[in-house]
Amino acid sequence: MREVDKITSFSLRSRKSAPEAPRIVAVTAYDFTFARLADEIVDVLLVGDSLGMVVQGHSTTLPVTIADMAYHCRAVARGTRHAHLVADMPFMSYQASERDAIRNAGRLLVDGGAEGVKLEGGVAIASTVAKLVDLGIPVMGHVGLTPQSVHVLGGYRLQGRTDQAKESILQDALALEDAGAYAVVLEGIPAELGRLITARLKIPTIGIGAGPHCDGQVLVCSDLLGMNPEFAPKFLKKYARLDETIREALQTYRDEVREGVFPDETHSF
Ligand code: KIV
């Protein structure tokens, strides 16, 4: 069997002190088939709670449960050998008590096969992060635009516009580093703030809508593959137009079945 060069929370973290190390490439994954394709290409597969929108059709991530996360994580884990596998802790699975956080994070590792968990928030959850790390659970942070706080933020809008807001996001990121997080996602902040935080932290930053200076980038798989024509925010680059490809393939299939072209002899026994 071919040896797998496995990426771990430890190896990701150590890239920060190796200036020649490549930038971290992360993408979300929610199922086995996609995970198997992406596994050898990217460094990190994130089972994001964005599955609430992408897979379940909700308008926010809030309805996603720990059972949903464990289910999708298990599927992704079966297709993952090389990439580091991290799973989001969904809304209200870690905020109410440390006990909840420990049980639910443990579930994602034990039942889901995750190798790390991602939590949204900074100073407010730093003690929970420290506890999880102490117990052997690697934690990735997530600051700036934190989608689980959409109702407090008043929508999915750029964060860190004022000096005070910039300072607060920086403090959040530093608190996560102090608590033992191995990396932190910076979402929806000005590029200059992304640069500043990346320069201040000793752990890698992974940006989404946070400019080019981060130590890595993450995108939602269906966004970068262009599966949703209505979703085109400024930060998103579509590397394919799978919406068109899928529609064309389905139309051809439909027409061939209706016209009796498929199945032909080569596809029959
Ligand atoms: O849920 C998710 O997909 C995420 C990424 C967008 C960072 O948290």
Side-chain angles (χ1 to χ4, degrees):
M1 209 210 298
R2 198 170 67 75
E3 239 185 57
V4 177
D5 180 18
K6 178 70 186 164
I7 297 179
T8 65
S9 61
F10 189 84
S11 66
L12 287 172
R13 187 186 179 140
S14 49
R15 285 200 199 182
K16 185 81 178 188
S17 46
E20 73 289 352
R23 288 192 176 177
I24 296 166
V25 181
V27 68
T28 66
Y30 315 109
D31 64 50
F32 167 79
T33 302
F34 181 80
R36 204 167 53 158
L37 279 173
D39 177 55
E40 294 209 9
I41 299 169
V42 303
D43 301 311
V44 178
L45 288 175
L46 167 66
V47 185
D49 60 357
S50 50
L51 70 83
M53 281 104 136
V54 175
V55 179
Q56 298 174 333
H58 296 297
S59 59
T60 72
T61 58
L62 304 192
V64 177
T65 66
I66 191 74
D68 295 335
M69 291 306 302
Y71 171 86
H72 285 278
C73 198
R74 263 196 310 277
V76 170
R78 290 185 202 110
T80 306
R81 295 172 65 207
H82 154 264
H84 173 63
L85 176 54
V86 57
D88 266 339
M89 294 198 65
F91 185 57
M92 279 302 133
S93 68
Y94 57 97
Q95 290 93 338
S97 71
E98 254 182 22
R99 203 181 159 84
D100 279 358
I102 295 163
R103 279 195 198 291
N104 289 321
R107 182 166 171 189
L108 292 177
L109 265 67
V110 175
D111 294 347
E115 296 152 355
V117 294
K118 179 163 78 56
L119 279 66
E120 294 183 12
V123 173
I125 59 153
S127 61
T128 302
V129 171
K131 187 73 193 171
L132 293 176
V133 175
D134 264 0
L135 293 172
I137 299 174
V139 174
M140 181 181 283
H142 184 158
V143 301
L145 198 182
T146 44
Q148 291 175 11
S149 304
V150 60
H151 296 310
V152 170
L153 302 177
Y156 299 104
R157 50 178 70 175
L158 188 75
Q159 301 298 303
R161 288 166 186 265
T162 64
D163 286 350
Q164 197 186 355
K166 284 188 178 72
E167 182 58 27
S168 157
I169 295 170
L170 171 63
Q171 291 310 321
D172 280 338
L174 287 168
L176 291 167
E177 174 175 285
D178 284 350
Y182 65 91
V184 59
V185 168
L186 306 179
E187 178 166 359
I189 59 171
E192 189 46 33
L193 182 58
R195 190 193 61 72
L196 178 90
I197 296 175
T198 301
R200 285 287 299 274
L201 292 193
K202 293 185 215 67
I203 56 173
T205 60
I206 302 176
I208 173 164
H213 310 291
C214 300
D215 299 301
Q217 297 290 328
V218 59
L219 282 175
V220 168
C221 54
S222 51
D223 293 348
L224 84 89
L225 294 173
M227 295 180 77
N228 180 358
E230 280 115 60
F231 190 65
K234 181 170 162 66
F235 71 82
L236 174 62
K237 180 166 178 185
K238 296 189 181 186
Y239 288 86
R241 288 304 308 253
L242 283 202
D243 54 342
E244 286 167 9
T245 308
I246 291 171
R247 209 174 284 122
E248 277 168 24
L250 289 173
Q251 281 164 354
T252 306
Y253 168 59
R254 177 198 60 197
D255 294 347
E256 290 198 354
V257 169
R258 287 187 180 161
E259 289 157 16
V261 173
F262 175 82
D264 57 9
E265 246 179 64
T266 50
H267 297 98
S268 300
F269 300 101

